[in-house]
Amino acid sequence: MNYEDVMKLALERGFYFPSCEVYADAQAGFWEYGPSGVSLKNKFLELWRRELIRRDGMMEIDGSQIMSKSVFEASGHLGNFADPIIKCTKCKSTFRADRTISEISKIEIPESADLEEFDNAILQNNIKCPKCKGDFENTRKFNMMFKVGIGPEEEPAYLRPETCQSIFVDFPRLFKTMRGKLPMGIAQVGKSFRNEISPRQSLLRLREFYQAEIEVFCNPAKLDNVEKFSEIADTVLRIQNDSELVSMTCKEAVESGVIPNKFVAYYLGILIEFYEKTGIDVTKSRFRKLGDKEKAFYAQVAFDFEVETTIGWLELVACNYRSDYDLSSHANKSKEKFEVVDDEQKVLPHVFEISMGIDRSLYTILEYSLKDDKEHERIVLSLRPYLSPVHVGILSLVKKDGLKEKTDEIYLQIKRKYDAFLDHSGAIGRRYRRLDEIGAPFAITVDHQTLQDQTVTIRKRDSMEQNRIKISEINSILSEFTAYP
RNA sequence: GCGGAGUUAGUCUAGCUCGGUAAGAUGUCAGCUUCCCAAGCUGAAGGCCGCGGGUUCAAAUCCCGCACUCCGCACCA
């Protein structure tokens, strides 16, 4: 199913919808998760914790969203997380200064250059607005961070543009107090904020968005000394290097040099094993190795994990080898010591990060799971049972003859343990269809026979087949089939 | 931010040319009936027609701004 089908489902069934929508001054790029969306998101994150955090023995923190100016001076975001832009005085169109100059005059100025360099180049080469030939205003920087004023004096601080900065800043304390030992993974789930020029496509480009970030701190001398590598040595990765897409095992990727070392390969391996369990078809995915121009300013080696969707390739995860960029910057700025002892030697750890876009991942899971079952005239959200917002619908075939009461009784027995939805009203087929649309993998129906022999029917979402089971078996069956893998 | 297309009940759409205080389908809720896959009947709720201003006795309809959504450009998780 395509973007519009997913969007419609999201709006109608409470997955997500625009923020502040009743007001005309609502800004673009802000969306809210409804009940189904929150339930899906929570389950997705639980899977992430199981498959990455616990699997690798990482620790998880929860940092502030507002961070001090110094953090972003050190991280480089104040200087680099900004585009030089120029605005036409006549038609008010805005352009990227570096791109416009290179297109018209073939002069390459790095985007981090002084603003005067852009102005000079524009003057000397007589560069005019490509649309209306008007003159440009002076070049200015558009920083994508949201600035906030703290307290009555409005002391400047910023909403974090990525969650990981608190991980870097907290690293010395965590290493000391949590008995740290390299390699050490620290993870965080939370909101990040970027003042995008043009937010677009609901969850896919937001100004306020969720990230699940993992920063693994390691000894740069030991990047090929990875005990756990054997766990993923035979896991297949699809890697796009330049224009060529190749499928190879992690072991082959390291041996051929496509991936620089076992350390990076291990994390790409467990990442793809995680995504396999979300229901996304990983044969439609790739790790795209980024060229120098595409990489973020802090990255030494970068792979984007992308999945093919109906609106094109979508970047879900950025995997960056950040070297000691962050720790040395924070060490210099703060004068704190960020070195740690590994094998009786002082080292400044290097960092490999797995920066996951949660909202985009959830969208992609929905798109891959949503099916149009034309034969039975229904829309089915075939989510993996452990990700479904509702695990089971509890239905009475009819309300009368005590069936309603019996149904309520069963619902009460299981509602704390499972996400169960109780429904008595309307035709039974209609209720099954509704459950199909929110992805409930099971429906339990109480009928007249239930009152005689304490059995119910259990219906499976994907096959629509029904079996009769004992009430006493409901718990063990649901427990088995809604369990995480 | 630019260019193009849109915005009328939860959803989809009619009405706009030719101003006269909103229509249908579907969905939702309640009841009856049937009793295992969107059946039927009855009833109800739900819309300051994206927002603001103007023209007019009167605006969903005409005019002007703005916002948002979608498609391209550029940027990114």
Side-chain angles (χ1 to χ4, degrees), chain A residues 233-448:
Chain A
D234 296 324
T235 298
V236 174
L237 303 176
R238 292 159 52 84
I239 301 173
Q240 173 124 11
N241 199 357
D242 298 323
S243 57
E244 197 189 5
L245 180 62
V246 288
S247 261
M248 52 173 73
T249 64
C250 289
K251 192 164 173 237
E252 289 164 350
V254 173
E255 282 168 0
S256 64
V258 174
I259 294 178
N261 53 60
K262 287 183 176 176
F263 180 74
V264 170
Y266 169 73
Y267 288 101
L268 298 188
I270 64 174
L271 182 65
I272 197 72
E273 290 186 3
F274 161 72
Y275 269 103
E276 270 173 356
K277 291 172 182 169
T278 64
I280 292 173
D281 179 0
V282 295
T283 67
K284 303 271 176 60
S285 75
R286 65 186 182 195
F287 284 100
R288 196 164 62 86
K289 196 170 183 178
L290 299 187
D292 287 340
K293 284 190 179 163
E294 286 180 293
K295 286 186 300 196
F297 60 86
Y298 44 70
Q300 212 171 63
V301 183
F303 290 90
D304 276 355
F305 178 68
E306 301 179 327
V307 177
E308 198 170 11
T309 67
T310 58
I311 51 169
W313 286 95
L314 189 61
E315 181 186 341
L316 302 187
V317 187
C319 304
N320 295 304
Y321 189 79
R322 299 174 74 124
S323 69
D324 62 0
Y325 178 90
D326 303 278
L327 293 191
S328 63
S329 314
H330 285 302
N332 288 338
K333 175 86 186 165
S334 68
K335 313 291 182 214
E336 289 287 324
K337 291 221 168 25
F338 281 67
E339 287 122 333
V340 300
V341 173
D342 187 52
D343 274 354
E344 299 177 357
Q345 289 201 318
K346 265 194 178 177
V347 288
L348 185 61
H350 279 203
V351 167
F352 180 65
E353 82 170 350
I354 304 170
S355 173
M356 180 180 295
I358 296 175
D359 315 276
R360 289 179 173 190
S361 296
L362 296 178
Y363 168 80
T364 308
I365 291 169
L366 288 174
E367 190 186 291
Y368 271 88
S369 304
L370 192 60
K371 309 270 164 49
D372 184 4
D373 180 359
K374 291 195 171 68
E375 188 191 341
H376 300 103
E377 290 181 57
R378 60 177 189 150
I379 302 289
V380 190
L381 188 62
S382 288
L383 291 170
R384 298 291 170 94
Y386 44 86
L387 293 181
S388 290
V390 170
H391 291 129
V392 60
I394 308 292
L395 317 175
S396 50
L397 189 58
V398 292
K399 269 183 258 188
K400 59 186 181 183
D401 302 332
L403 296 191
K404 178 179 185 296
E405 290 70 18
K406 188 70 193 168
T407 309
D408 289 342
E409 195 185 306
I410 292 171
Y411 174 68
L412 280 176
Q413 278 172 27
I414 66 164
K415 70 174 183 178
R416 293 190 185 194
K417 194 161 175 188
Y418 304 96
D419 285 309
F421 185 80
L422 179 68
D423 199 350
H424 294 300
S425 69
I428 191 74
R430 177 181 303 253
R431 284 178 275 164
Y432 286 147
R433 299 302 151 99
R434 256 196 306 245
L435 288 167
D436 289 340
E437 282 192 23
I438 55 167
F442 301 106
I444 281 170
T445 305
V446 170
D447 56 19
H448 288 97

Side-chain angles (χ1 to χ4, degrees), chain A residues 49-61:
Chain A
R49 289 192 174 98
R50 283 167 177 262
E51 295 298 318
L52 294 162
I53 309 309
R54 293 185 203 151
R55 173 170 183 176
D56 192 55
M58 301 177 187
M59 44 186 99
E60 184 178 345
I61 64 165

Side-chain angles (χ1 to χ4, degrees), chain A residues 50-328:
Chain A
R50 283 167 177 262
E51 295 298 318
L52 294 162
I53 309 309
R54 293 185 203 151
R55 173 170 183 176
D56 192 55
M58 301 177 187
M59 44 186 99
E60 184 178 345
I61 64 165
D62 188 0
S64 326
Q65 298 181 340
I66 296 175
M67 301 183 78
S68 77
K69 190 178 171 191
S70 299
V71 170
F72 301 112
E73 283 169 359
S75 72
H77 283 89
L78 268 172
N80 295 319
F81 198 62
D83 295 333
I85 55 169
I86 43 177
K87 192 170 181 180
C88 172
T89 53
K90 205 166 134 195
C91 71
K92 304 293 176 198
S93 299
T94 305
F95 303 89
R96 284 272 304 246
D98 53 331
R99 280 163 206 267
T100 309
I101 292 168
S102 79
E103 275 166 28
I104 296 176
S105 69
K106 306 292 172 212
I107 297 172
E108 296 288 344
I109 302 175
E111 60 170 70
S112 52
D114 287 340
L115 297 182
E116 286 160 19
E117 280 191 52
F118 295 106
D119 291 338
N120 290 339
I122 289 168
L123 276 175
Q124 284 161 17
N125 296 280
N126 197 31
I127 290 169
K128 303 288 183 190
C129 173
K131 282 189 183 146
C132 73
K133 306 293 168 206
D135 290 321
F136 285 114
E137 292 172 7
N138 283 343
T139 307
R140 61 192 179 94
K141 282 236 164 171
F142 174 69
N143 195 295
M144 302 234 291
M145 284 196 294
F146 286 102
K147 195 173 186 175
V148 290
I150 309 293
E153 297 302 321
E154 306 260 321
E155 299 288 348
Y158 295 87
L159 288 171
R160 60 186 182 189
E162 51 179 9
T163 56
C164 58
Q165 288 305 323
S166 39
I167 296 178
F168 301 137
V169 174
D170 293 350
F171 173 73
R173 169 181 288 276
L174 290 168
F175 194 89
K176 284 177 214 153
T177 59
M178 303 308 290
R179 303 174 65 202
K181 199 167 173 244
L182 300 183
M184 175 165 116
I186 305 177
Q188 179 173 201
V189 174
K191 284 261 175 91
S192 290
F193 304 83
R194 296 182 189 177
N195 201 356
E196 294 287 341
I197 300 168
S198 172
R200 207 38 97 68
Q201 288 170 318
S202 59
L203 298 190
L204 306 186
R205 193 181 308 127
L206 296 160
R207 288 187 166 129
E208 177 179 336
F209 60 102
Y210 280 104
Q211 289 186 307
E213 291 197 299
I214 291 168
E215 309 295 323
V216 191
F217 298 84
C218 60
N219 184 337
K222 294 183 178 176
L223 295 177
D224 277 306
N225 181 5
V226 181
E227 279 175 30
K228 290 173 280 193
F229 185 76
S230 60
E231 290 177 27
I232 50 82
D234 296 324
T235 298
V236 174
L237 303 176
R238 292 159 52 84
I239 301 173
Q240 173 124 11
N241 199 357
D242 298 323
S243 57
E244 197 189 5
L245 180 62
V246 288
S247 261
M248 52 173 73
T249 64
C250 289
K251 192 164 173 237
E252 289 164 350
V254 173
E255 282 168 0
S256 64
V258 174
I259 294 178
N261 53 60
K262 287 183 176 176
F263 180 74
V264 170
Y266 169 73
Y267 288 101
L268 298 188
I270 64 174
L271 182 65
I272 197 72
E273 290 186 3
F274 161 72
Y275 269 103
E276 270 173 356
K277 291 172 182 169
T278 64
I280 292 173
D281 179 0
V282 295
T283 67
K284 303 271 176 60
S285 75
R286 65 186 182 195
F287 284 100
R288 196 164 62 86
K289 196 170 183 178
L290 299 187
D292 287 340
K293 284 190 179 163
E294 286 180 293
K295 286 186 300 196
F297 60 86
Y298 44 70
Q300 212 171 63
V301 183
F303 290 90
D304 276 355
F305 178 68
E306 301 179 327
V307 177
E308 198 170 11
T309 67
T310 58
I311 51 169
W313 286 95
L314 189 61
E315 181 186 341
L316 302 187
V317 187
C319 304
N320 295 304
Y321 189 79
R322 299 174 74 124
S323 69
D324 62 0
Y325 178 90
D326 303 278
L327 293 191
S328 63

